[in-house]
Amino acid sequence: MTHLERFLATVRREPVDRPATWLGLPDPAALPGLFKYFGVSNIRELKEKLDDDIWPVEIPYHSPCADVIQMALNFSKDGSIPKFRTLTAPGFFEDYSDPEAVNLFDWPDPAKYIDPALCRKAVEETPDGYTAMGVVSAAHFQTACSAFGMETALVKMMIEPEMYRAVIDRITDFYLRANEIFYEATRGKLHAVQISNDFGGQTGLMVSPDTLRELVFDGTRKMIEQAKSYGLIVVHHSCGSIYDIIPDLIEMGADVIHPIQALAANMEPWRLKADFGDKISFCGGVDAQYLMVNGQPEEVRAKAEELKTLFPTGLILSPSHETILPDTKPENVEALFSINNINSL
């Protein structure tokens, strides 16, 4: 099977020749160590070495305050340009209660900062046979946390829901427009898209399922439906324990849940397989919090084999978080991908 054929069969829960796999999005600081260990010089060679199946493509976004779309909405109260997105710093809307205040923020027009030609070029650079997956982020819930400051945002959801709704709806509009530009520019060239929002912590959801349904999932649904209207498979990312809202994600049309965060409450692979395995596919499962960092290669290999047995299809085998950090042992990455029976490893 080609990488794309294997990916499509996995998503449809059809027989595969081997588990589909995804390296994820390694932290740039982790790449030198991975390149040295595997004897390669770039990410393309690394993915070829691992026989990885997915080629992620991020939206090319370039504005005066951001070179990644995750940083496109700068809600800093003092007008400074932060180096990293923060959810906890005080945000622009921290002190506002009137929904009309949403118009006080200088909302950027994504059409000014997304070049369709660069979008096409980025997707066309996907190697032959790979699954081209757009990584659009579109994390409207997390971005709303930045807009107020996380603690304030969660309080606003409870006591000033109309204010919260006004902000998250405008954030959703921004992402829908940005995604539209990307999807139109790459029509017929993308196979899948990853839409992100971290709804969970280690032991449960950040807010109740009902609150998410009332204030957040309208935007989630719109973004999933938008992607599906372009014929794209939707991989929905949320870290943490999200067991209680997996039925919602299924109902909204997601095709794949990413990741299986193996150490989070109620996210055990066997539980997800038993309760949802006939309704949706998954990505992840190999613990990146402890096992990939502190475990031994034989333990990682055993976990990969266990998951292969539990999910003969329907699982894209991957670390339980999309970002491989510098403290992840390269030999454990090798052990995970040994499931592919690569002769060179």
Side-chain angles (χ1 to χ4, degrees), residues 11-250:
V11 172
R12 296 167 184 158
R13 297 177 294 285
E14 298 170 351
V16 289
D17 58 339
R18 65 154 175 84
T21 52
W22 184 35
L23 178 64
L25 302 171
D27 187 301
L31 290 176
L34 291 171
F35 292 168
K36 180 179 180 180
Y37 182 87
F38 287 101
V40 299
S41 58
N42 56 58
I43 193 69
R44 180 168 182 159
E45 291 177 359
L46 176 62
K47 291 172 77 68
E48 290 174 350
K49 185 90 169 183
L50 297 174
D51 201 23
D52 194 11
D53 290 308
I54 298 175
W55 189 269
V57 182
E58 299 188 59
I59 294 181
Y61 186 94
H62 303 286
S63 77
C65 71
D67 280 318
V68 291
I69 199 162
Q70 294 92 325
M71 298 287 290
L73 298 173
N74 178 16
F75 292 115
S76 171
K77 288 189 74 172
D78 61 7
S80 62
I81 299 175
K83 186 175 181 181
F84 302 103
R85 183 176 67 170
T86 175
L87 303 183
T88 57
F92 180 90
F93 291 105
E94 180 184 39
D95 302 316
Y96 291 104
S97 298
D98 183 353
E100 291 299 318
V102 74
N103 298 310
L104 298 176
F105 184 73
D106 185 16
W107 297 93
D109 178 1
K112 292 182 179 180
Y113 307 118
I114 301 175
D115 183 342
L118 290 180
C119 295
R120 285 191 292 273
K121 181 176 183 293
V123 176
E124 287 169 353
E125 290 175 349
T126 302
D128 290 344
Y130 273 85
T131 304
M133 183 174 77
V135 179
V136 301
S137 180
H140 65 310
F141 172 67
Q142 288 173 265
T143 307
C145 289
S146 294
F148 294 97
M150 190 165 196
E151 183 176 350
T152 302
L154 299 182
V155 172
K156 295 280 188 185
M157 295 177 85
M158 300 297 105
I159 66 172
E160 294 178 353
E162 292 307 316
M163 180 64 208
Y164 180 87
R165 184 179 287 109
V167 172
I168 197 171
D169 285 353
R170 285 294 292 270
I171 292 168
T172 300
D173 290 344
F174 171 85
Y175 284 129
L176 287 169
R177 178 61 182 130
N179 294 350
E180 180 185 28
I181 296 166
F182 183 59
Y183 297 155
E184 284 291 339
T186 60
R187 185 185 286 271
K189 300 179 185 296
L190 279 179
H191 305 115
V193 61
Q194 184 192 65
I195 296 171
S196 300
N197 254 313
D198 287 343
F199 297 127
Q202 193 72 21
T203 60
L205 294 168
M206 294 185 190
V207 295
S208 73
D210 284 343
T211 300
L212 290 172
R213 290 167 191 143
E214 179 185 357
L215 295 174
V216 178
F217 282 169
D218 180 61
T220 304
R221 185 184 302 277
K222 287 178 179 177
M223 283 186 271
I224 291 175
E225 290 179 348
Q226 179 191 45
K228 303 282 272 194
S229 75
Y230 285 87
L232 300 173
I233 290 168
V234 174
V235 178
H236 191 283
H237 166 89
S238 177
C239 292
S241 174
I242 61 165
Y243 178 90
D244 290 341
I245 59 167
I246 289 177
D248 296 271
L249 293 170
I250 293 171

